Amino acid sequence: MPNQSRHEQVTVDGPVNSWLYLHQGSGTDRIAMHWHQSIELSYTIRGEITEFEIENQKFHTKPGDILVVNSQELHQIYSKGQAGDRALSIIFPYQYVMGLYPLIDQQQISINDPSQFSDIQKAVYAQSQGLLLEISENYLTISRLKDLRLQCLTDEVLCKLLTYFTVDKIGEYGRSSNYSMERIHLITKYINDNYQSDIRLESLAELCGISKEYLARFFKGQMGQTVGEYINNVRAQHARQRLRTSKLNLTMIAIQTGFSGIRTMNRTLEKLYGKSAAELRKEGRK
């Protein structure tokens, strides 16, 4: 998934009000723990997503599975794809949803556990699968009505989610509402906003009003990785995107994404994706 939505806001450049992306191909893909204000939908068309973690709950998807990440929910993705795998991502900007359905501020979408569905929800889930498949097919077409059709289809999916799968939130941050989660949101937002800079543990501790020793233990306990690992993972995601889309040399990409140099960038890329910067660049040009 491109790194357009790592935190807070999603910028929609095209005429369709939601952000769409069709993931195709093979290879290891890892997106480190992050959150954003927008609502994200993932639909597995072919293959699987090895591990999609949302608020400490892990999912292993199969074809036809729909997952929704609600606003401000922490999530991460790991997938070791095969040739022919395909998945669709739709990100609904929060303000767009709010403008259509103000109640979303007190509700969240609950669709990730089909075993709990009523009969009507099962029927609507099947209808939504068909709509999402149609979106993926239209995404690849060249037509003067393509954007209009995609807008109609994504709005219909959103309408079904809000009509049949909303539940009341428990507290400001939903089911995970507590002071620890608010602190994690604060830390991860700061890192995502400042990944290009030299981020010090002392600065994060000061931001939270705690000691750096406590922050290090707290973050590792909550996220399952150190602060340094999280920072490098965020940088690697941005570096990977630039390697695929930018003509800048590897040294410049390393510097612009906050790494001290190519060696450090390569070490993190190989750990996350199993490939060096040069290999990822070559892969992006195929």
Side-chain angles (χ1 to χ4, degrees), residues 21-23 41-45 86-90 132 135-136:
Y21 188 76
L22 189 63
H23 310 267
L41 179 148
S42 173
Y43 177 58
T44 304
I45 302 168
R86 181 176 291 184
L88 174 71
S89 290
I90 305 177
L132 292 165
I135 289 172
S136 69

Side-chain angles (χ1 to χ4, degrees), residues 30-82:
R30 188 189 299 270
I31 298 175
M33 191 74 74
H34 65 285
W35 66 277
H36 41 73
Q37 190 178 27
S38 302
I39 297 169
E40 179 175 344
L41 179 148
S42 173
Y43 177 58
T44 304
I45 302 168
R46 287 203 300 265
E48 61 183 9
I49 299 175
T50 312
E51 186 176 297
F52 199 131
E53 182 175 343
I54 306 171
E55 294 285 289
N56 295 320
Q57 188 174 4
K58 295 181 180 179
F59 301 90
H60 184 145
T61 72
K62 61 184 185 300
D65 283 353
I66 302 170
L67 291 178
V68 168
V69 181
N70 286 285
S71 178
Q72 300 188 40
E73 287 187 333
L74 285 165
H75 56 289
Q76 63 181 343
I77 302 167
Y78 171 76
S79 184
K80 193 170 183 179
Q82 305 295 323

Side-chain angles (χ1 to χ4, degrees), residues 241-252:
Q241 182 68 10
R242 295 192 189 200
L243 287 164
R244 289 178 163 182
T245 59
S246 169
K247 294 182 180 180
L248 291 173
N249 63 50
L250 302 187
T251 300
M252 286 301 299

